[in-house]
Amino acid sequence: MSFLAGSVAGAVVSGGVYYGFSSLMQSRTTQLRTDLHLLSERLVTASTIVPPPPASTRVVHRPFLTLVQSRWNQQVASVFATVAKWEQHASEWGRKLLYGERS
């Protein structure tokens, strides 16, 4: 009797799960179909292509950002120049040390 009751209980549970997933898939499919239809209708009935605004109206001038960027670039350039100068001095010092050049 318990084998029969377990089998029936398993069949009822699996049938419930199947019905739940089936119902969920059907309702989601119906909703997606409706949404897709609405979107396609909007696309078909949309007005003609509106050209984008001219580039001059889309450019946003940010003087503070430009100032910060130029100062940053100046600082980075000065760091690179300083490192290049140090490298040149180190190279000259090494050459003098290795080859005995005196100035």
Side-chain angles (χ1 to χ4, degrees):
M1 179 79 167
S2 75
F3 175 75
L4 183 62
S7 298
V8 170
V12 168
V13 168
S14 64
V17 169
Y18 173 78
Y19 175 76
F21 278 122
S22 176
S23 174
L24 177 67
M25 287 193 314
Q26 185 176 10
S27 65
R28 292 284 293 169
T29 302
T30 304
Q31 181 63 40
L32 289 173
R33 185 179 294 141
T34 304
D35 291 344
L36 186 60
H37 179 71
L38 289 174
L39 289 173
S40 71
E41 287 295 321
R42 283 181 49 195
L43 185 60
V44 167
T45 61
S47 63
T48 59
I49 297 174
V50 178
S56 61
T57 62
R58 290 182 283 160
V59 173
V60 178
H61 297 286
R62 296 184 176 135
F64 180 72
L65 182 64
T66 304
L67 174 69
V68 169
Q69 286 176 341
S70 72
R71 291 288 296 163
W72 171 259
N73 289 339
Q74 289 173 358
Q75 293 296 326
V76 169
S78 70
V79 166
F80 275 100
T82 303
V83 168
K85 192 185 319 179
W86 288 349
E87 181 190 17
Q88 184 180 12
H89 287 303
S91 175
E92 289 174 4
W93 178 79
R95 190 178 311 113
K96 287 178 185 177
L97 185 66
L98 289 174
Y99 300 115
E101 296 178 13
R102 301 283 180 192
S103 47

